[in-house]
mmCIF file of all heavy atoms in Angstrom:
data_model
loop_
_atom_site.group_PDB
_atom_site.id
_atom_site.type_symbol
_atom_site.label_atom_id
_atom_site.label_comp_id
_atom_site.label_asym_id
_atom_site.label_seq_id
_atom_site.Cartn_x
_atom_site.Cartn_y
_atom_site.Cartn_z
ATOM 1 N N VAL A 6 -0.344 14.894 2.334
ATOM 2 C CA VAL A 6 -0.498 16.136 1.633
ATOM 3 C C VAL A 6 -0.602 17.312 2.658
ATOM 4 O O VAL A 6 -1.486 17.223 3.566
ATOM 5 C CB VAL A 6 -1.710 16.095 0.729
ATOM 6 C CG1 VAL A 6 -1.868 17.500 0.000
ATOM 7 C CG2 VAL A 6 -1.616 14.997 -0.284
ATOM 8 N N LEU A 7 0.248 18.259 2.595
ATOM 9 C CA LEU A 7 0.329 19.322 3.542
ATOM 10 C C LEU A 7 -0.002 20.647 2.869
ATOM 11 O O LEU A 7 0.711 21.071 1.919
ATOM 12 C CB LEU A 7 1.730 19.399 4.152
ATOM 13 C CG LEU A 7 2.233 18.056 4.746
ATOM 14 C CD1 LEU A 7 3.722 18.089 4.995
ATOM 15 C CD2 LEU A 7 1.520 17.817 6.074
ATOM 16 N N GLY A 8 -1.036 21.307 3.324
ATOM 17 C CA GLY A 8 -1.550 22.503 2.636
ATOM 18 C C GLY A 8 -0.956 23.804 3.121
ATOM 19 O O GLY A 8 -0.208 23.896 4.116
ATOM 20 N N GLY A 9 -1.327 24.887 2.413
ATOM 21 C CA GLY A 9 -0.889 26.202 2.769
ATOM 22 C C GLY A 9 -1.693 26.812 3.903
ATOM 23 O O GLY A 9 -2.796 26.386 4.215
ATOM 24 N N GLY A 10 -1.109 27.857 4.505
ATOM 25 C CA GLY A 10 -1.846 28.497 5.606
ATOM 26 C C GLY A 10 -0.947 29.382 6.498
ATOM 27 O O GLY A 10 -1.247 29.630 7.643
ATOM 28 N N GLY A 11 0.149 29.893 5.911
ATOM 29 C CA GLY A 11 0.975 30.840 6.616
ATOM 30 C C GLY A 11 1.729 30.220 7.816
ATOM 31 O O GLY A 11 1.835 29.049 7.996
ATOM 32 N N ILE A 12 2.243 31.135 8.640
ATOM 33 C CA ILE A 12 2.984 30.776 9.829
ATOM 34 C C ILE A 12 2.127 29.929 10.760
ATOM 35 O O ILE A 12 2.612 28.916 11.361
ATOM 36 C CB ILE A 12 3.514 31.977 10.545
ATOM 37 C CG1 ILE A 12 4.600 32.689 9.681
ATOM 38 C CG2 ILE A 12 4.064 31.665 11.939
ATOM 39 C CD1 ILE A 12 5.089 34.008 10.265
ATOM 40 N N THR A 13 0.862 30.309 10.934
ATOM 41 C CA THR A 13 -0.004 29.523 11.790
ATOM 42 C C THR A 13 -0.271 28.125 11.197
ATOM 43 O O THR A 13 -0.430 27.163 11.967
ATOM 44 C CB THR A 13 -1.347 30.287 11.999
ATOM 45 O OG1 THR A 13 -1.946 30.550 10.712
ATOM 46 C CG2 THR A 13 -1.130 31.584 12.731
ATOM 47 N N GLY A 14 -0.354 28.036 9.904
ATOM 48 C CA GLY A 14 -0.544 26.746 9.268
ATOM 49 C C GLY A 14 0.613 25.777 9.496
ATOM 50 O O GLY A 14 0.378 24.577 9.745
ATOM 51 N N ILE A 15 1.817 26.307 9.440
ATOM 52 C CA ILE A 15 2.996 25.491 9.772
ATOM 53 C C ILE A 15 2.908 24.929 11.168
ATOM 54 O O ILE A 15 3.050 23.747 11.417
ATOM 55 C CB ILE A 15 4.272 26.328 9.611
ATOM 56 C CG1 ILE A 15 4.504 26.724 8.149
ATOM 57 C CG2 ILE A 15 5.462 25.507 10.085
ATOM 58 C CD1 ILE A 15 5.605 27.756 7.940
ATOM 59 N N ALA A 16 2.657 25.842 12.116
ATOM 60 C CA ALA A 16 2.627 25.412 13.538
ATOM 61 C C ALA A 16 1.508 24.439 13.791
ATOM 62 O O ALA A 16 1.720 23.477 14.513
ATOM 63 C CB ALA A 16 2.440 26.698 14.389
ATOM 64 N N TRP A 17 0.337 24.732 13.269
ATOM 65 C CA TRP A 17 -0.819 23.829 13.483
ATOM 66 C C TRP A 17 -0.521 22.441 12.975
ATOM 67 O O TRP A 17 -0.813 21.425 13.656
ATOM 68 C CB TRP A 17 -2.038 24.437 12.868
ATOM 69 C CG TRP A 17 -3.262 23.589 12.898
ATOM 70 C CD1 TRP A 17 -4.122 23.388 13.933
ATOM 71 C CD2 TRP A 17 -3.798 22.789 11.787
ATOM 72 N NE1 TRP A 17 -5.153 22.555 13.558
ATOM 73 C CE2 TRP A 17 -4.947 22.148 12.299
ATOM 74 C CE3 TRP A 17 -3.408 22.549 10.485
ATOM 75 C CZ2 TRP A 17 -5.712 21.263 11.482
ATOM 76 C CZ3 TRP A 17 -4.133 21.720 9.706
ATOM 77 C CH2 TRP A 17 -5.318 21.090 10.182
ATOM 78 N N GLN A 18 0.024 22.356 11.763
ATOM 79 C CA GLN A 18 0.306 21.002 11.198
ATOM 80 C C GLN A 18 1.341 20.272 12.018
ATOM 81 O O GLN A 18 1.216 19.055 12.258
ATOM 82 C CB GLN A 18 0.801 21.193 9.731
ATOM 83 C CG GLN A 18 -0.300 21.645 8.808
ATOM 84 C CD GLN A 18 0.171 21.780 7.409
ATOM 85 O OE1 GLN A 18 0.268 20.831 6.621
ATOM 86 N NE2 GLN A 18 0.515 23.038 6.994
#
Side-chain angles (χ1 to χ4, degrees):
V6 180
L7 305 165
I12 291 173
T13 56
I15 295 170
W17 175 79
Q18 291 179 83

